[in-house]
Amino acid sequence: TQLLEQSPQFLSIQEGENLTVYCNSSSVFSSLQWYRQEPGEGPVLLVTVVTGGEVKKLKRLTFQFGDARKDSSLHITAAQPGDTGLYLCVRSTLGRLYFGRGTQLTVWP
Amino acid sequence: DTGVSQDPRHKITKRGQNVTFRCDPISEHNRLYWYRQTLGQGPEFLTYFQNEAQLEKSRLLSDRFSAERPKGSFSTLEIQRTEQGDSAMYLCASSLVRTRPYLVHYGYTFGSGTRLTVV
């Protein structure tokens, strides 16, 4: 069961464009994580957000946790081909991770 | 330490055969997790160990699947009588957990996975 809904499922853009991907749930989370996964590799943690309304920046990536802690967004500014990958939002419960289906991002040169 | 290692990276097997995968976690991590990821999906939790004890198994882990972590270090995941539906990426992860004064996880890290294809 996918308790985390991610949208869009696929995104294909040109280098230099901006984009936002979304993660939504009907449940309140104590924290939420974003991972990026490249083909043939395991997911790599990008960020953890904990506080409602929290905004975290990682270079050109901006992560926001909704005020009600039920949703999150990831915004990428001036996307580059190296940003290509599967972006996964994840909630953690007692150490187990529950993943959304992910957004497959492709950035063309 | 080079992170979480999984072996083999790829495995092709005939339906009905048994396969075994190995995971070597980060040495100071006390928790080890197994996940399965099929095409177009995020990883799904299968089971986890704290030290050598297997503390939880998902309903996804049928009777044909067994996991061990005999000395609290490396772990193996065995699939008996493989079926085509078992084709997936099997991911291992490890973390360091402290339970006192409250539950905190550090350093949740995934390996590169074992890609299983059942033909």
Side-chain angles (χ1 to χ4, degrees), chain B residues 71-95:
Chain B
K71 299 181 180 178
S73 57
F74 73 92
S75 175
T76 57
L77 177 68
E78 181 183 16
I79 308 175
Q80 295 183 325
R81 305 181 303 282
T82 52
E83 301 173 356
Q84 287 186 320
D86 297 331
S87 295
M89 172 78 89
Y90 289 84
L91 291 161
C92 175
S94 69
S95 70

mmCIF file of all heavy atoms in Angstrom, chain B residues 71-95:
data_model
loop_
_atom_site.group_PDB
_atom_site.id
_atom_site.type_symbol
_atom_site.label_atom_id
_atom_site.label_comp_id
_atom_site.label_asym_id
_atom_site.label_seq_id
_atom_site.Cartn_x
_atom_site.Cartn_y
_atom_site.Cartn_z
ATOM 1 N N LYS B 71 25.824 -13.675 13.231
ATOM 2 C CA LYS B 71 26.753 -13.109 14.208
ATOM 3 C C LYS B 71 26.547 -11.618 14.391
ATOM 4 O O LYS B 71 27.390 -10.929 14.954
ATOM 5 C CB LYS B 71 28.196 -13.388 13.789
ATOM 6 C CG LYS B 71 28.526 -14.872 13.702
ATOM 7 C CD LYS B 71 29.970 -15.102 13.307
ATOM 8 C CE LYS B 71 30.281 -16.599 13.234
ATOM 9 N NZ LYS B 71 31.681 -16.851 12.803
ATOM 10 N N GLY B 72 25.420 -11.140 13.937
ATOM 11 C CA GLY B 72 25.144 -9.718 14.091
ATOM 12 C C GLY B 72 25.964 -8.834 13.177
ATOM 13 O O GLY B 72 26.008 -7.622 13.381
ATOM 14 N N SER B 73 26.613 -9.450 12.178
ATOM 15 C CA SER B 73 27.392 -8.634 11.234
ATOM 16 C C SER B 73 26.734 -8.724 9.858
ATOM 17 O O SER B 73 25.743 -8.060 9.613
ATOM 18 C CB SER B 73 28.846 -9.071 11.213
ATOM 19 O OG SER B 73 28.942 -10.456 10.893
ATOM 20 N N PHE B 74 27.248 -9.595 8.971
ATOM 21 C CA PHE B 74 26.652 -9.709 7.645
ATOM 22 C C PHE B 74 25.322 -10.447 7.727
ATOM 23 O O PHE B 74 25.006 -11.114 8.714
ATOM 24 C CB PHE B 74 27.621 -10.422 6.685
ATOM 25 C CG PHE B 74 27.743 -11.890 6.923
ATOM 26 C CD1 PHE B 74 26.927 -12.798 6.256
ATOM 27 C CD2 PHE B 74 28.674 -12.385 7.819
ATOM 28 C CE1 PHE B 74 27.036 -14.159 6.474
ATOM 29 C CE2 PHE B 74 28.797 -13.750 8.057
ATOM 30 C CZ PHE B 74 27.963 -14.635 7.381
ATOM 31 N N SER B 75 24.539 -10.316 6.656
ATOM 32 C CA SER B 75 23.246 -10.995 6.586
ATOM 33 C C SER B 75 23.120 -11.682 5.232
ATOM 34 O O SER B 75 23.733 -11.264 4.250
ATOM 35 C CB SER B 75 22.108 -9.985 6.760
ATOM 36 O OG SER B 75 20.843 -10.595 6.581
ATOM 37 N N THR B 76 22.322 -12.738 5.211
ATOM 38 C CA THR B 76 21.987 -13.405 3.956
ATOM 39 C C THR B 76 20.481 -13.444 3.787
ATOM 40 O O THR B 76 19.731 -13.544 4.765
ATOM 41 C CB THR B 76 22.537 -14.840 3.901
ATOM 42 O OG1 THR B 76 22.027 -15.580 5.015
ATOM 43 C CG2 THR B 76 24.051 -14.848 3.923
ATOM 44 N N LEU B 77 20.054 -13.337 2.548
ATOM 45 C CA LEU B 77 18.645 -13.469 2.186
ATOM 46 C C LEU B 77 18.557 -14.591 1.169
ATOM 47 O O LEU B 77 19.191 -14.524 0.120
ATOM 48 C CB LEU B 77 18.107 -12.163 1.585
ATOM 49 C CG LEU B 77 16.657 -12.193 1.096
ATOM 50 C CD1 LEU B 77 15.693 -12.345 2.272
ATOM 51 C CD2 LEU B 77 16.327 -10.909 0.324
ATOM 52 N N GLU B 78 17.809 -15.650 1.499
ATOM 53 C CA GLU B 78 17.664 -16.785 0.608
ATOM 54 C C GLU B 78 16.242 -16.848 0.083
ATOM 55 O O GLU B 78 15.286 -16.657 0.843
ATOM 56 C CB GLU B 78 18.009 -18.102 1.316
ATOM 57 C CG GLU B 78 17.890 -19.319 0.398
ATOM 58 C CD GLU B 78 18.165 -20.637 1.091
ATOM 59 O OE1 GLU B 78 18.159 -20.682 2.331
ATOM 60 O OE2 GLU B 78 18.362 -21.637 0.367
ATOM 61 N N ILE B 79 16.123 -17.118 -1.193
ATOM 62 C CA ILE B 79 14.822 -17.352 -1.805
ATOM 63 C C ILE B 79 14.830 -18.769 -2.348
ATOM 64 O O ILE B 79 15.677 -19.125 -3.182
ATOM 65 C CB ILE B 79 14.523 -16.365 -2.948
ATOM 66 C CG1 ILE B 79 14.728 -14.926 -2.494
ATOM 67 C CG2 ILE B 79 13.086 -16.568 -3.444
ATOM 68 C CD1 ILE B 79 14.570 -13.896 -3.611
ATOM 69 N N GLN B 80 13.917 -19.573 -1.892
ATOM 70 C CA GLN B 80 13.815 -20.953 -2.370
ATOM 71 C C GLN B 80 12.758 -21.042 -3.467
ATOM 72 O O GLN B 80 11.775 -20.295 -3.468
ATOM 73 C CB GLN B 80 13.444 -21.871 -1.208
ATOM 74 C CG GLN B 80 14.514 -21.936 -0.132
ATOM 75 C CD GLN B 80 14.155 -22.904 0.979
ATOM 76 O OE1 GLN B 80 12.988 -23.049 1.342
ATOM 77 N NE2 GLN B 80 15.143 -23.573 1.533
ATOM 78 N N ARG B 81 12.984 -21.946 -4.394
ATOM 79 C CA ARG B 81 12.019 -22.231 -5.481
ATOM 80 C C ARG B 81 11.561 -20.916 -6.114
ATOM 81 O O ARG B 81 10.374 -20.573 -6.117
ATOM 82 C CB ARG B 81 10.824 -23.011 -4.934
ATOM 83 C CG ARG B 81 11.211 -24.298 -4.217
ATOM 84 C CD ARG B 81 9.987 -25.059 -3.696
ATOM 85 N NE ARG B 81 9.158 -24.274 -2.797
ATOM 86 C CZ ARG B 81 9.407 -24.031 -1.526
ATOM 87 N NH1 ARG B 81 10.510 -24.533 -0.966
ATOM 88 N NH2 ARG B 81 8.585 -23.313 -0.790
ATOM 89 N N THR B 82 12.518 -20.211 -6.672
ATOM 90 C CA THR B 82 12.227 -18.876 -7.205
ATOM 91 C C THR B 82 11.120 -18.908 -8.247
ATOM 92 O O THR B 82 10.951 -19.879 -9.004
ATOM 93 C CB THR B 82 13.478 -18.243 -7.825
ATOM 94 O OG1 THR B 82 14.052 -19.160 -8.763
ATOM 95 C CG2 THR B 82 14.493 -17.890 -6.764
ATOM 96 N N GLU B 83 10.372 -17.815 -8.273
ATOM 97 C CA GLU B 83 9.283 -17.620 -9.232
ATOM 98 C C GLU B 83 9.589 -16.350 -10.016
ATOM 99 O O GLU B 83 10.348 -15.487 -9.565
ATOM 100 C CB GLU B 83 7.951 -17.480 -8.492
ATOM 101 C CG GLU B 83 7.605 -18.678 -7.631
ATOM 102 C CD GLU B 83 6.365 -18.429 -6.772
ATOM 103 O OE1 GLU B 83 5.837 -17.294 -6.800
ATOM 104 O OE2 GLU B 83 5.938 -19.372 -6.071
ATOM 105 N N GLN B 84 8.945 -16.212 -11.189
ATOM 106 C CA GLN B 84 9.204 -15.028 -12.002
ATOM 107 C C GLN B 84 8.833 -13.747 -11.263
ATOM 108 O O GLN B 84 9.465 -12.714 -11.452
ATOM 109 C CB GLN B 84 8.462 -15.130 -13.333
ATOM 110 C CG GLN B 84 9.106 -16.144 -14.277
ATOM 111 C CD GLN B 84 8.469 -16.134 -15.644
ATOM 112 O OE1 GLN B 84 7.257 -16.025 -15.764
ATOM 113 N NE2 GLN B 84 9.286 -16.267 -16.669
ATOM 114 N N GLY B 85 7.841 -13.824 -10.413
ATOM 115 C CA GLY B 85 7.433 -12.659 -9.634
ATOM 116 C C GLY B 85 8.448 -12.218 -8.602
ATOM 117 O O GLY B 85 8.308 -11.141 -8.018
ATOM 118 N N ASP B 86 9.466 -13.031 -8.376
ATOM 119 C CA ASP B 86 10.524 -12.651 -7.437
ATOM 120 C C ASP B 86 11.539 -11.716 -8.095
ATOM 121 O O ASP B 86 12.400 -11.158 -7.394
ATOM 122 C CB ASP B 86 11.261 -13.888 -6.918
ATOM 123 C CG ASP B 86 10.366 -14.828 -6.132
ATOM 124 O OD1 ASP B 86 9.393 -14.339 -5.524
ATOM 125 O OD2 ASP B 86 10.631 -16.042 -6.147
ATOM 126 N N SER B 87 11.453 -11.563 -9.407
ATOM 127 C CA SER B 87 12.390 -10.680 -10.112
ATOM 128 C C SER B 87 12.245 -9.263 -9.579
ATOM 129 O O SER B 87 11.149 -8.688 -9.592
ATOM 130 C CB SER B 87 12.117 -10.696 -11.613
ATOM 131 O OG SER B 87 12.377 -11.975 -12.151
ATOM 132 N N ALA B 88 13.334 -8.710 -9.087
ATOM 133 C CA ALA B 88 13.307 -7.397 -8.456
ATOM 134 C C ALA B 88 14.719 -7.014 -8.070
ATOM 135 O O ALA B 88 15.655 -7.801 -8.205
ATOM 136 C CB ALA B 88 12.435 -7.418 -7.187
ATOM 137 N N MET B 89 14.853 -5.782 -7.567
ATOM 138 C CA MET B 89 16.101 -5.352 -6.941
ATOM 139 C C MET B 89 15.947 -5.572 -5.442
ATOM 140 O O MET B 89 14.962 -5.127 -4.838
ATOM 141 C CB MET B 89 16.347 -3.861 -7.209
ATOM 142 C CG MET B 89 17.521 -3.285 -6.452
ATOM 143 S SD MET B 89 19.095 -3.693 -7.186
ATOM 144 C CE MET B 89 19.252 -2.315 -8.320
ATOM 145 N N TYR B 90 16.889 -6.274 -4.842
ATOM 146 C CA TYR B 90 16.863 -6.527 -3.398
ATOM 147 C C TYR B 90 17.907 -5.623 -2.759
ATOM 148 O O TYR B 90 19.096 -5.732 -3.027
ATOM 149 C CB TYR B 90 17.108 -8.005 -3.093
ATOM 150 C CG TYR B 90 15.922 -8.837 -3.509
ATOM 151 C CD1 TYR B 90 15.789 -9.270 -4.825
ATOM 152 C CD2 TYR B 90 14.895 -9.130 -2.614
ATOM 153 C CE1 TYR B 90 14.672 -9.998 -5.234
ATOM 154 C CE2 TYR B 90 13.783 -9.857 -3.015
ATOM 155 C CZ TYR B 90 13.677 -10.273 -4.330
ATOM 156 O OH TYR B 90 12.567 -10.973 -4.735
ATOM 157 N N LEU B 91 17.419 -4.720 -1.916
ATOM 158 C CA LEU B 91 18.269 -3.703 -1.302
ATOM 159 C C LEU B 91 18.477 -4.007 0.173
ATOM 160 O O LEU B 91 17.556 -4.414 0.873
ATOM 161 C CB LEU B 91 17.620 -2.323 -1.430
ATOM 162 C CG LEU B 91 17.535 -1.738 -2.836
ATOM 163 C CD1 LEU B 91 16.490 -0.637 -2.891
ATOM 164 C CD2 LEU B 91 18.887 -1.191 -3.267
ATOM 165 N N CYS B 92 19.693 -3.784 0.615
ATOM 166 C CA CYS B 92 20.030 -3.911 2.026
ATOM 167 C C CYS B 92 20.397 -2.519 2.542
ATOM 168 O O CYS B 92 20.959 -1.701 1.802
ATOM 169 C CB CYS B 92 21.215 -4.860 2.180
ATOM 170 S SG CYS B 92 21.851 -5.026 3.847
ATOM 171 N N ALA B 93 20.053 -2.253 3.777
ATOM 172 C CA ALA B 93 20.422 -0.988 4.408
ATOM 173 C C ALA B 93 20.840 -1.264 5.847
ATOM 174 O O ALA B 93 20.473 -2.286 6.428
ATOM 175 C CB ALA B 93 19.252 0.001 4.382
ATOM 176 N N SER B 94 21.626 -0.358 6.398
ATOM 177 C CA SER B 94 21.982 -0.502 7.803
ATOM 178 C C SER B 94 21.928 0.859 8.493
ATOM 179 O O SER B 94 21.979 1.902 7.836
ATOM 180 C CB SER B 94 23.376 -1.125 7.967
ATOM 181 O OG SER B 94 24.400 -0.250 7.549
ATOM 182 N N SER B 95 21.784 0.812 9.806
ATOM 183 C CA SER B 95 21.751 2.040 10.592
ATOM 184 C C SER B 95 22.226 1.752 12.006
ATOM 185 O O SER B 95 22.294 0.600 12.430
ATOM 186 C CB SER B 95 20.340 2.643 10.628
ATOM 187 O OG SER B 95 19.461 1.840 11.409
#
